[in-house]
């Protein structure tokens, strides 16, 4: 079609707004430009634009009368109301699509941010560890049991890094000798205990092996020996695998430092009355059990007193609660009447591998200890309904409360240490 004479005039046809109407007698548009504008439309004869040069109407030819565009029967309706681009696709459509995509991306981003925020604020640890209570400053040199003890044999643990040292703290007749035998003879660990009494010197630390047990040439069961070991920096040495001591924690803490190179405490808890009967039976007392229970010789709440540091004076419920808090935060607890499970608990926590002959050696040691306790069990059964039992129970009433608590703690720590193993991926 010849479009050489096309005129653009201002018009308000059909839409009621000012529009440009392309007519054939206007030569302001070239044929090339018009064809470009007409692209995508069949046989257009008029192009109607708004003031922003957006196409809003296309009038196609249905007669030979060019000037009467109102007679055209194939009028394209207002396309997308805001106009179509002359190449057949509107600028607004593109802008709308871009805007929609942008809104979609922003929406997705907002959803992700909200979900992350919700997840962070509502996430629950599948293996949560209990919150441990505050403990006296004396115990700052000892690590919390919830702080996982690293496996010394792991390649991820630097051999030169400061290490925590396991400490077996024990009262008389609570299985200290049994643990000593199992760790020294069955596991082959190097011990710091009373075995080095005769070999102490000021020249330095040394590892000594006698009768298949290895030990360091120090004595950690006396105050003087402990101070000597401190001067030789026992806890900082790689020699001892385990330290044994029944001493006060005010003395024992001097071996370690808070924050690094701490002690890791474990102990076996025994029924206070049965422990008292054992002390009387094996201690060589010349008194009868009834006389012993009423005498000054009887041990009075030793566990509570050592944990709180109150070796003299009266105790109250506040002291018992303090002792409970210390046990919960600082001790891997074993129960004497459950030796097998207790020793396995210690082995698991401290990564002492028990396989093959080690297991047989440990089990034999447990059987021997239980055999020795047969006589104590018989005496306890005879004394259960006597005044001696009543007096011993009363004199150790705070320790009795701690013993009941320790059994509960033993069950709770089972779950805690299981969760630690799950975190390591061992179960």
């Amino acid at each position: 079609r010849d479009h050489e004479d096309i005129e653009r005039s201002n018009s308000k046809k059909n839409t009621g707004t000012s529009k440009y109407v392309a007519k054939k007698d206007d030569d302001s548009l070239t044929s090339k430009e018009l064809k470009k504008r007409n692209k995508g439309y069949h046989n257009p004869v008029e192009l109607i634009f708004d003031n922003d040069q957006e196409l809003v109407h296309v009038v196609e030819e249905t007669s030979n009368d060019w000037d009467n565009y109102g007679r055209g029967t194939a009028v394209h309706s207002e396309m997308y109301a805001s106009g179509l681009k002359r190449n057949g696709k509107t600028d607004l459509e593109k802008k709308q699509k871009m805007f929609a995509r942008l809104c979609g991306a922003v929406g997705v981003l907002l959803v992700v941010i909200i979900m992350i925020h919700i997840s962070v604020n509502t996430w629950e640890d599948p293996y949560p560890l209990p919150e441990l209570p505050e403990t006296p400053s004396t115990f700052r040199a000892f690590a919390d049991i919830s702080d996982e003890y690293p496996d010394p044999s792991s390649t991820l643990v630097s051999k030169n890094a400061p290490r925590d040292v396991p400490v077996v703290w024990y009262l008389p007749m609570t299985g200290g000798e049994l643990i000593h035998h199992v760790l020294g003879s069955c596991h082959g660990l190097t011990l710091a205990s009373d075995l080095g009494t005769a070999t102490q010197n000021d020249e330095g630390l040394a590892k000594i092996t006698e009768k298949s047990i290895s030990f360091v040439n120090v004595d950690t069961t006396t105050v003087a020996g402990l101070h000597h070991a401190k001067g030789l920096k026992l806890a900082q040495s790689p020699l001892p695998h385990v330290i044994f001591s029944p001493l006060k924690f005010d003395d024992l803490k001097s071996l370690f430092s808070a924050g690094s190179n701490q002690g890791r405490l474990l102990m076996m808890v025994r029924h206070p009355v049965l422990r008292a009967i054992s002390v009387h039976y094996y201690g060589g007392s010349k008194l009868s059990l009834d006389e012993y229970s009423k005498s000054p010789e009887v041990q009075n709440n030793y566990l509570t007193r050592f944990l709180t540091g109150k070796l003299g004076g009266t105790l109250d419920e506040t002291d018992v609660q303090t002792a409970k808090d210390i046990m919960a935060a600082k001790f891997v607890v074993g129960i004497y009447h459950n030796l097998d499970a207790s020793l396995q608990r210690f082995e698991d926590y401290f990564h002492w591998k028990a396989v093959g002959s080690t297991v047989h050696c440990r089990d034999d040691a447990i059987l021997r200890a239980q055999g020795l306790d047969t006589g104590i069990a018989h005496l306890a059964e005879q004394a259960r309904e006597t005044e001696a039992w009543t007096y011993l129970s009363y004199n150790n009433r705070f320790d009795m409360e701690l013993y009941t608590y320790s059994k509960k703690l033993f069950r709770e720590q089972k779950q805690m240490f299981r969760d630690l193993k799950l975190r390591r991926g061992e179960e």
Side-chain angles (χ1 to χ4, degrees), residues 80 146 180 188 204 255 271 286 366 410:
Y80 301 102
S146 60
H180 192 281
L255 289 177
H271 191 290
K286 296 180 180 180
I366 291 173
F410 183 72

Side-chain angles (χ1 to χ4, degrees), residues 330-342:
K330 301 295 182 177
F331 281 89
V332 181
V333 173
I335 302 298
Y336 187 81
H337 76 261
N338 197 346
L339 290 174
D340 187 61
S342 298

Side-chain angles (χ1 to χ4, degrees), residues 290-364:
D290 184 64
E291 294 170 335
Y292 171 75
S293 67
K294 302 172 185 177
S295 74
E297 291 183 21
V298 69
Q299 294 183 353
N300 174 265
N301 297 298
Y302 259 30
L303 180 56
T304 306
R305 293 186 179 279
F306 269 90
L307 289 176
T308 59
K310 295 179 67 172
L311 299 185
T314 59
L315 299 172
D316 55 32
E317 286 298 327
T318 302
D319 298 314
V320 177
Q321 186 58 53
T322 299
K324 290 179 180 180
D325 292 343
I326 293 170
M327 289 177 66
K330 301 295 182 177
F331 281 89
V332 181
V333 173
I335 302 298
Y336 187 81
H337 76 261
N338 197 346
L339 290 174
D340 187 61
S342 298
L343 290 173
Q344 288 185 46
R345 178 76 54 81
F346 299 153
E347 291 168 344
D348 287 344
Y349 183 84
F350 290 103
H351 307 283
W352 296 324
K353 306 297 188 295
V355 294
S357 59
T358 301
V359 176
H360 295 304
C361 177
R362 180 193 67 200
D363 292 345
D364 288 344

Side-chain angles (χ1 to χ4, degrees), residues 3 12 83 130 140 154 176 202 237 244 247 300 350 367 377:
H3 295 294
K12 297 184 178 179
R140 290 176 184 169
S154 172
D202 295 327
S237 168
F244 284 76
L247 297 177
N300 174 265
F350 290 103
L367 289 174

Side-chain angles (χ1 to χ4, degrees), residues 257-271:
S257 58
S260 63
N261 193 219
Q262 295 177 294
R264 295 272 183 159
L265 293 166
L266 66 92
M267 71 171 167
M268 196 82 76
V269 183
R270 190 177 187 182
H271 191 290

